[in-house]
Amino acid sequence: MEGEQSADLIRGQLRRIRTVAGLNQEELGRRANYSASTVSAVETGTRPLDMPYVKRIDKVLDTGGLFESLLRMAEGEGLPSWFLPWLEAERTAKQLRYFNPTLIPGLLQTANYARTVLRFDDTRPEGEVEKQVTARLERQEILMRERPPQVIAVIDEAALRRVDAIMGEQLAHLVKMAELPHVHIHLIPADAGLHVGLSGPLALARSAEGGWVGHMDNQLGGSVVDGEEGVATLLATWESVRGVALPRALSVSLVKEVESQHGPQ
């Protein structure tokens, strides 16, 4: 059932983006070298989604590989259907905002860090862990695009001071990411005291049209927030946590200081 729901979401996004591009099924088919009946069959679910089709549609609609990524994750990475709308928002965003009081945000994680986090669920099969590590690293490819999104990450200092053998490597990677002009990392120092962000992590994506989509993690998984009231609440929370964080340069200096305390890698 989970796979069927994921496929339905992909088909829905295929229809939506085709419509936004101003193309009917016949015109899209002509450009992609498929018949209009094939396009219709894919969008209605009477023809299965396959990789050659979505790769061609990605190229025609200039989506930056969105549908290929969605299908790969729906097919094998074991991601829940609710995550796919956020994945689309993340891949097409002009600006991304992440806050996490306990962990490094996924878009900035190393493979070893991601692997450790995914193993928090000790019942997850090793093969599934590795697939999800690969999926997480594939998401990070948006940072290296010719026109990447601006990424602003606010992280609590406590997340950097976890005592673990993988942290030296992770912090070195965080410093490297902070050197990218479009990646802004801000730390909330340990002496900031209690703040609203301690209630939990959040993420926000702003589209090219200026609309916002939010995402929240919790113990049961996560949820996508796209309603006006919910998004407004997340934006207000973001402003609060951003307000108690250090400036960019001071934050990077603090990351380097903590990295040096983890010893040689």
Side-chain angles (χ1 to χ4, degrees):
M1 182 63 179
E2 197 73 56
E4 293 175 4
Q5 291 174 335
S6 298
D8 285 344
L9 281 166
I10 296 172
R11 284 191 285 266
Q13 295 306 319
L14 281 167
R15 289 191 296 270
R16 185 184 69 80
I17 294 181
R18 172 180 60 76
T19 301
V20 169
L23 301 176
N24 58 31
Q25 292 176 339
E26 183 176 359
E27 178 64 15
L28 177 62
R30 186 184 66 78
R31 297 188 184 188
N33 297 321
Y34 285 97
S35 66
S37 61
T38 297
V39 175
S40 176
V42 170
E43 292 185 359
T44 58
T46 57
R47 178 186 187 278
L49 288 160
D50 60 51
M51 198 58 68
Y53 182 87
V54 297
K55 284 184 175 181
R56 187 61 188 161
I57 298 304
D58 274 331
K59 184 174 181 180
V60 170
L61 297 179
D62 193 24
T63 65
L66 169 66
F67 291 116
E68 178 183 353
S69 179
L70 288 174
L71 185 57
R72 286 188 187 280
M73 293 187 177
E75 285 180 337
E77 278 69 8
L79 293 179
S81 59
W82 56 259
F83 189 74
L84 296 181
W86 170 254
L87 182 64
E88 182 200 1
E90 186 179 67
R91 287 186 61 87
T92 59
K94 292 297 181 182
Q95 185 188 84
L96 291 163
R97 300 177 177 182
Y98 299 95
F99 166 70
N100 202 308
T102 55
L103 296 169
I104 307 299
L107 213 61
L108 301 173
Q109 292 177 3
T110 64
N112 283 330
Y113 189 97
R115 189 173 291 111
T116 300
V117 171
L118 290 166
R119 284 176 178 156
F120 288 169
D121 178 358
D122 57 13
T123 65
R124 181 176 281 139
E126 189 62 24
E128 183 179 325
V129 169
E130 291 305 316
K131 286 180 179 180
Q132 292 197 13
V133 169
T134 299
R136 188 160 298 186
L137 297 181
E138 287 179 351
R139 284 170 56 200
Q140 297 175 6
E141 292 175 3
I142 64 172
L143 298 177
M144 303 304 170
R145 290 191 313 215
E146 183 177 353
R147 291 185 176 273
Q150 181 189 56
V151 176
I152 307 172
V154 175
I155 309 168
D156 199 285
E157 182 183 345
L160 276 59
R161 294 193 178 277
R162 305 295 179 195
V163 179
D164 196 290
I166 63 171
M167 286 306 298
E169 176 192 45
Q170 174 60 63
L171 292 174
H173 179 70
L174 200 60
V175 171
K176 181 180 178 181
M177 291 297 97
E179 292 172 352
L180 298 173
H182 54 281
V183 176
H184 301 243
I185 293 174
H186 300 273
L187 295 187
I188 297 180
D191 60 7
L194 297 175
H195 56 84
V196 67
L198 295 175
S199 298
L202 64 89
L204 288 155
R206 181 172 61 81
S207 69
E209 295 77 28
W212 289 94
V213 174
H215 176 260
M216 296 188 301
D217 283 320
N218 57 60
Q219 290 290 332
L220 297 179
S223 60
V224 174
V225 180
D226 55 10
E228 184 176 345
E229 185 175 346
V231 167
T233 299
L234 292 185
L235 285 169
T237 301
W238 167 266
E239 292 299 330
S240 294
V241 297
R242 177 65 186 86
V244 296
L246 296 172
R248 188 179 183 184
L250 289 178
S251 295
V252 175
S253 294
L254 181 53
V255 175
K256 292 179 178 178
E257 177 187 331
V258 179
E259 179 197 1
S260 69
Q261 296 169 4
H262 280 277
Q265 298 170 39

